Amino acid sequence: MDSPLAVFSSAGAGALLVAGTLYCLFAFLLGPVEKNSNPAVNLSGGSIAAGNVRDKYEFRRPKETVRVTDKVPDFVDTFYNLVTDIYEWGWGQSFHFSPPVPGKSDGEASKLHELMIVDLIGARPGDRILDVGCGIGGPMRTIAAHSGANVVGITINDYQVNRARTHNKKAGLDKQCDVVQGNFLAMPFPSNSFDGAYSIEATCHAPKLEEVYAEIFRVLKPGALYTSYDWITTEKYRPEEDAEIIQGIERGNALPGLRSYSDITAAAREVGFEVVRVRDLAREPTTARWLEVGRMTYWRNHVPWWSRLKFGRIAYWRNHIVVSVLAAVGVAPKGTVDVHEMLCKTAEYLTKGGEKGIFSPMHMILCRKPAEK
Ligand SMILES: C=C(CC[C@@H](C)[C@H]1CC[C@H]2C3=CC[C@H]4[C@H](C)[C@@H](O)CC[C@]4(C)[C@H]3CC[C@]12C)C(C)C
Ligand SMILES: C[S@@+](CC[C@H](N)C(=O)[O-])C[C@H]1O[C@@H](n2cnc3c(N)ncnc32)[C@H](O)[C@@H]1O
């Protein structure tokens, strides 16, 4: 017969195994994609009280995209209250796409995409750089840490300001990174006060691109550079055939209307910028090759940006179950399931837009504010 000690230790080992398995399953189901980010149990409605999330979601479900210009910033603010926690949990601290890089994880590829900005605008230690539409500050932290520059971010959404500040502090970058709540169409900064600026997948929220570009132009010092990665329709877009996909992208991402690639250069020139370089970073090269930008060399290959969305199908199901359970037991606000479902559809439209080659989320433009004579 087994000694009581042996029975106890084998029962203990069994219990430990079950507890360990449950813990791993729990961490797998609820944990964020990025270390030190937001677990599923923290899903909230941003600055919207939990009881009002469903009403707010109903409000943001118009058939047509919002096009009433002066209502756009409020609408976008509500949108980010609803999606910020889900984005952070399911995607990470950087709310943008990036070209996959062989041998690198999604997170590393995303950082490389952000680091290219340091080279493009020539950010140096001590510079004051503006991040237009900074989200919760993933790119800002990468850029500040790598360049030694001080980065000031602006976002319309108060909840994102708090998340960004929390992460800046955790990363020990709160001295270098500052975040303010405000509208990028009327920024609370003096003219000629920044050494450089960038925006990543943010200016597509502006009802008129000229308005946000004019503000960026105003706050930059003469001679300073600005680069933007923006969402656009490509030359392959045919409204008669592709309108449903493009409207699906607009609806699911709170966009007042996607612009064509040619509108970007025109808007930059209209406000007075010199256009230095334009390139669609989503373009699928036929062969793998190196892309030279400034001092650094970046590897590009033919895996497209939307592959990260496509490979996520199983993850969406897992996330859908997690969100449904958390909403049912009252941990996540009611309405979170609708928001998550909307994001699943958005992912499909984005993938279709990418596959058809009619849409790009990374049209890059590099501009200079002319130096004073
Ligand atoms: C620039 C913008 C946002 C771009 C992306 C960061 C987000 C666009 C679509 C989002 C997602 C779609 C599917 C979600 C999934 C169903 C969920 O389980 C986990 C999060 C998603 C993957 C989510 C993550 C962020 C996006 C990829 C716009 C708004 C201008
Ligand atoms: C898709 S997120 C990108 C965030 C960040 N650039 C990143 O890559 O992680 C778009 C950002 O633009 C901001 N934004 C949209 N419209 C804005 C406005 N009118 N004023 C200020 N910020 C705005 C949103 O609040 C959000 O932070």
Side-chain angles (χ1 to χ4, degrees):
M1 207 170 74
D2 287 340
S3 76
L5 201 66
V7 171
F8 178 76
S9 65
S10 70
L16 256 173
L17 195 72
V18 171
T21 312
L22 279 177
Y23 176 81
C24 292
L25 196 70
F26 225 64
F28 169 71
L29 288 177
L30 301 182
V33 287
E34 191 168 332
K35 221 171 94 207
N36 298 327
S37 238
N38 222 5
V41 282
N42 288 345
L43 291 180
S44 72
S47 307
I48 301 172
N52 296 335
V53 166
R54 179 165 272 168
D55 294 349
K56 282 290 182 187
Y57 181 72
E58 291 302 326
F59 144 82
R60 74 147 308 279
R61 213 190 229 167
K63 280 269 175 301
E64 294 306 315
T65 321
V66 170
R67 286 180 197 276
V68 185
T69 333
D70 53 346
K71 291 212 171 125
V72 171
D74 276 353
F75 179 77
V76 170
D77 182 28
T78 302
F79 174 80
Y80 281 106
N81 276 322
L82 297 172
V83 301
T84 293
D85 278 338
I86 303 185
Y87 277 17
E88 190 181 343
W89 166 58
W91 197 255
Q93 293 174 19
S94 293
F95 296 172
H96 61 76
F97 292 101
S98 45
V101 180
K104 303 272 180 214
S105 67
D106 291 331
E108 288 165 338
S110 169
K111 280 206 166 71
L112 276 177
H113 194 51
E114 293 161 5
L115 284 180
M116 211 157 99
I117 289 176
V118 174
D119 267 6
L120 284 166
I121 62 172
R124 283 188 303 241
D127 276 357
R128 189 163 182 257
I129 303 293
L130 173 64
D131 181 334
V132 184
C134 64
I136 60 164
M140 156 193 289
R141 285 181 286 282
T142 304
I143 288 168
H146 187 80
S147 67
N150 300 309
V151 184
V152 180
I154 183 166
T155 165
I156 194 80
N157 184 258
D158 214 30
Y159 182 72
Q160 292 190 336
V161 173
N162 295 327
R163 290 294 308 152
R165 286 187 181 152
T166 303
H167 286 306
N168 289 347
K169 212 165 185 159
K170 265 195 205 158
L173 287 166
D174 49 326
K175 299 265 176 336
Q176 246 177 290
C177 297
D178 193 13
V179 190
V180 297
Q181 190 278 333
N183 186 349
F184 58 36
L185 303 175
M187 290 195 269
F189 306 121
S191 303
N192 308 321
S193 58
F194 286 95
D195 301 295
Y198 66 91
S199 53
I200 308 184
E201 303 186 24
T203 51
C204 46
H205 285 296
K208 291 188 185 137
L209 195 57
E210 297 77 10
E211 286 181 358
V212 57
Y213 277 8
E215 267 301 87
I216 297 167
F217 186 90
R218 178 183 70 76
V219 301
L220 280 179
K221 293 179 184 169
L225 291 162
Y226 162 61
T227 194
S228 170
Y229 299 162
D230 208 353
W231 285 27
I232 50 108
T233 54
T234 70
E235 74 291 346
K236 289 193 180 154
Y237 171 53
R238 301 277 166 274
E240 327 77 61
E241 289 169 30
D242 305 321
E244 194 208 324
I245 299 176
I246 295 302
Q247 279 167 18
I249 293 175
E250 291 168 354
R251 255 202 314 277
N253 296 284
L255 304 178
L258 273 170
R259 282 171 273 267
S260 138
Y261 66 101
S262 55
D263 298 338
I264 310 288
T265 313
R269 292 210 170 106
E270 192 180 317
V271 304
F273 277 123
E274 283 166 15
V275 175
V276 180
R277 197 182 304 173
V278 178
R279 187 191 169 106
D280 186 354
L281 301 174
R283 262 188 210 255
E284 210 176 310
T286 42
T287 49
R289 63 195 153 116
W290 296 92
L291 170 70
E292 299 281 346
V293 178
R295 284 168 290 134
M296 283 170 79
T297 314
Y298 300 88
W299 175 253
R300 288 269 178 268
N301 79 329
H302 58 278
V303 180
W305 61 266
W306 63 88
S307 57
R308 187 173 169 190
L309 284 174
K310 262 194 138 168
F311 296 145
R313 289 256 163 83
I314 295 170
Y316 297 163
W317 274 106
R318 181 202 63 187
N319 290 356
H320 188 72
I321 293 166
V322 171
V323 165
S324 306
V325 171
L326 291 180
V329 297
V331 173
K334 302 258 174 292
T336 315
V337 180
D338 302 288
V339 178
H340 190 261
E341 235 167 63
M342 178 275 286
L343 288 177
C344 287
K345 282 199 196 103
T346 306
E348 277 176 30
Y349 281 119
L350 286 164
T351 306
K352 281 185 193 161
E355 281 173 344
K356 278 203 96 180
I358 58 173
F359 162 76
S360 165
M362 49 188 83
H363 178 85
M364 184 273 282
I365 186 167
L366 176 67
C367 315
R368 179 181 283 111
K369 177 167 174 174
E372 267 165 359
K373 298 230 163 63

